[in-house]
Amino acid sequence: MRLFSITAVLLINLFIAARYTVQIRRGAIRPALAMWIFFSIAVGGSLTTYLFEGDYTLWDNILNSADLLLCTYVALIIFIFGDASTRFTRFDQGCLVAVLLILVFWIFTRQHATAHLLIQSILVIAYFPVIKRLWNSDENTESFAAWFGLLLAPIMSLLSSKGTLASVYAIRAIVSTSLLMMLMARAEIRGRRLASRTRES
């Protein structure tokens, strides 16, 4: 079961990376660069505090380990191929300040478990730019297939995770991704209603 869980998470993340690469290059989606930069910073901090907290390896929290590679890669792809709407706004800059303050707290306190939990708040903050964007939008700019993978991966990772902190990471991901997918569906519905009204008029 452990090998199945690890393999499944790695394959899902590989699929997500490939999906994002194709769709971003085609201009089919416009994910927020700020969110993925936040993800990269926070996921790196989360994995570091997890490894310092106990006698764990990268395989013991496979979701966090695989996510670090995925987030860094997607941020790079968005930076290279994304359009202007994916760049930092003032809102994004405010979120980045909050992220850095929490990381500074961890560096000085070295309280790994506490810092790990605080870093999960970073990963929630990382959703703010795209949540704000989707809430005010009549168009879904994200990939349902990719985000379904981002929901499935943490579910599968629970089969092999070791320690409470790894479970917290996975559960946080499940809740956050579910909320984002609901906002994506809301934007899709609003867009269809707007298109229908336009055709009727």
Side-chain angles (χ1 to χ4, degrees):
M1 187 63 72
R2 176 177 169 79
L3 179 60
F4 169 76
S5 172
I6 291 172
T7 303
V9 171
L10 291 174
L11 289 176
I12 290 169
N13 275 24
L14 183 61
F15 163 78
I16 294 167
R19 183 75 175 173
Y20 264 94
T21 301
V22 171
Q23 291 197 296
I24 290 169
R25 293 200 66 175
R26 288 178 178 172
I29 60 172
R30 299 187 303 277
L33 175 63
M35 185 182 72
W36 287 95
I37 290 176
F38 291 153
F39 277 163
S40 300
I41 294 170
V43 168
S46 178
L47 183 60
T48 301
T49 54
Y50 170 78
L51 294 173
F52 271 94
E53 174 59 18
D55 186 23
Y56 299 120
T57 69
L58 295 174
W59 303 111
D60 294 330
N61 192 353
I62 186 58
L63 180 65
N64 202 161
S65 302
D67 278 356
L68 180 57
L69 295 175
L70 175 66
C71 293
T72 304
Y73 173 78
V74 172
L76 183 62
I77 290 297
I78 296 170
F79 180 76
I80 295 172
F81 299 108
D83 63 29
S85 67
T86 68
R87 302 303 190 237
F88 276 88
T89 64
R90 286 185 181 179
F91 181 86
D92 301 333
Q93 291 169 357
C95 291
L96 182 59
V97 170
V99 168
L100 295 176
L101 287 175
I102 296 174
L103 287 176
V104 168
F105 166 81
W106 172 69
I107 290 170
F108 281 103
T109 64
R110 309 300 291 179
Q111 296 178 18
H112 308 305
T114 302
H116 184 88
L117 296 177
L118 287 173
I119 287 171
Q120 301 316 302
S121 70
I122 295 177
L123 289 164
V124 173
I125 290 170
Y127 282 88
F128 287 2
V130 74
I131 286 174
K132 178 176 179 286
R133 189 172 171 185
L134 284 171
W135 183 261
N136 296 319
S137 178
D138 294 325
E139 177 188 7
N140 174 33
T141 57
E142 298 291 328
S143 166
F144 273 109
W147 280 100
F148 179 74
L150 289 166
L151 176 62
L152 185 59
I155 294 172
M156 299 302 298
S157 75
L158 288 172
L159 300 174
S160 63
S161 295
K162 287 188 178 180
T164 303
L165 298 184
S167 297
V168 168
Y169 181 91
I171 293 169
R172 186 272 318 150
I174 292 169
V175 173
S176 300
T177 304
S178 298
L179 172 61
L180 192 63
M181 290 188 73
M182 285 190 285
L183 288 174
M184 289 163 59
R186 176 179 178 270
E188 287 269 356
I189 293 169
R190 289 180 64 178
R192 290 174 186 172
R193 286 177 179 170
L194 182 62
S196 177
R197 290 191 197 120
T198 302
R199 285 195 300 269
E200 289 173 0
S201 61

